[in-house]
Every structure is written in structure tokens, then in C-alpha cells.
């Protein structure tokens, strides 16, 4: 009698785009909720749009950077015999992506109506934000690197 079970598919161990999107959405919703709680304590804007505009872009941008980090992982593998050069390359890439991430995040927030100031101040603000969030962004980069 033929089996009704679906054929087994090999597990490639790769993270799929759907998994990345689900994880980014979940983390973005958590961040949005946290932002909303902070705004309530500070008597700030507690609208859903503001909370989502502040929480979701951070994680969706890291999700968009996932392929770049995967390429960097292949180009600069962290192996026992060549880890120093690769680690330095990853640090430079992580710092560059952190600056780009901050600029894109503030730019997107500005486009959807979450204003942080004038457009001219966007670059200075994104640099300060990149420095403030540097530890979190480095953790995000190297966590993604660990899955690549």
C-alpha cells in the first residue's frame, strides 16, 4: 500500500526569506510595543502608526541586510587559521552597515511621518543614533553572521 506521507525534503540548514520576515516582524512588534510604553510614560505620541514607525523599520532593515551579511560570511569566513583578518573585515562591514542602517531607518521614519527634525539634520542625527545603537547593531550583525 502506498504511503500517504509527503516525500521527505532534505534540510539544507539555510534560513529562508519567510523565516527572516517572520522573525523581523515579531521583533519589530515587540520593539513597537516597547516604544509605545515609553511614550506613555513620557506623555508622547502613543498612536499605533507612531509605534510601528519607530519599531518595525529597525528589524526590517536588518532583514534586508541579511543577504549582504551572508555574502560577507562566505567572503570572509571565520576559521581558526585566518580569523583575525576576517574578524577585522566583519567589524568594518558591521560599522558601515550600522551607519547605513541608521540613516535608512531615520529616512524611512521621516517619509512615513515620524518626524525627528528637519531633513538637513537627518545625517547628523543618523550618525548620533548609529553611535548610540552601536552595541545593539553589532549584536544584530554578528547574530545574523552566526546564522549565515
Amino acid at each position: 500500500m502506498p504511503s500517504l506521507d509527503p516525500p521527505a525534503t532534505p534540510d539544507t540548514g539555510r534560513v529562508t526569506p519567510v523565516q527572516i520576515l517572520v522573525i523581523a516582524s515579531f521583533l519589530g512588534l515587540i520593539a513597537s510595543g516597547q516604544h509605545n510604553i515609553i511614550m506613555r510614560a513620557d506623555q508622547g505620541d502613543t498612536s499605533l502608526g507612531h509605534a510601528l514607525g519607530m519599531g518595525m523599520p529597525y528589524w526590517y532593515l536588518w532583514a534586508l541586510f541579511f543577504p549582504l551579511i551572508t555574502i560577507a560570511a562566505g567572503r570572509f569566513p571565520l576559521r581558526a587559521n585566518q580569523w583575525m583578518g576576517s574578524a577585522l573585515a566583519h567589524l568594518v562591514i558591521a560599522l558601515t552597515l550600522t551607519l547605513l542602517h541608521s540613516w535608512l531607518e531615520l529616512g524611512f521614519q521621516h517619509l512615513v511621518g515620524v518626524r525627528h527634525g528637519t531633513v538637513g539634520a537627518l545625517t547628523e542625527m543618523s550618525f548620533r543614533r548609529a553611535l548610540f545603537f552601536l552595541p545593539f547593531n553589532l549584536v544584530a550583525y554578528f547574530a545574523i553572521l552566526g546564522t549565515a
Side-chain angles (χ1 to χ4, degrees):
M1 176 160 187
S3 172
L4 297 177
D5 294 332
T9 56
D11 181 21
T12 60
R14 295 184 60 191
V15 180
T16 66
V18 172
Q19 290 171 318
I20 295 168
L21 183 63
V22 167
I23 291 169
S25 297
F26 179 69
L27 293 172
L29 289 172
I30 291 172
S32 298
Q34 289 173 332
H35 183 76
N36 192 287
I37 290 169
I38 292 169
M39 289 291 99
R40 287 177 192 268
D42 292 343
Q43 285 80 37
D45 186 355
T46 59
S47 67
L48 179 63
H50 179 82
L52 292 175
M54 291 299 291
M56 300 301 279
Y58 180 88
W59 294 105
Y60 281 140
L61 286 170
W62 277 115
L64 288 174
F65 288 164
F66 191 92
L68 295 174
I69 297 170
T70 302
I71 291 168
R75 178 73 174 93
F76 303 105
L78 293 170
R79 295 193 182 119
N81 59 349
Q82 60 182 13
W83 71 270
M84 185 65 90
S86 293
L88 182 60
H90 283 295
L91 183 59
V92 169
I93 294 166
L95 292 173
T96 303
L97 287 181
T98 293
L99 285 170
L100 178 61
H101 179 276
S102 180
W103 187 79
L104 290 172
E105 181 183 16
L106 286 174
F108 178 79
Q109 289 170 348
H110 195 80
L111 284 175
V112 298
V114 179
R115 305 281 185 216
H116 299 286
T118 64
V119 175
L122 194 60
T123 303
E124 179 187 342
M125 287 178 4
S126 65
F127 183 73
R128 284 184 289 146
R129 184 175 175 89
L131 288 176
F132 181 78
F133 281 98
L134 183 62
F136 306 107
N137 288 330
L138 290 176
V139 167
Y141 178 89
F142 286 102
I144 293 170
L145 183 65
T147 64

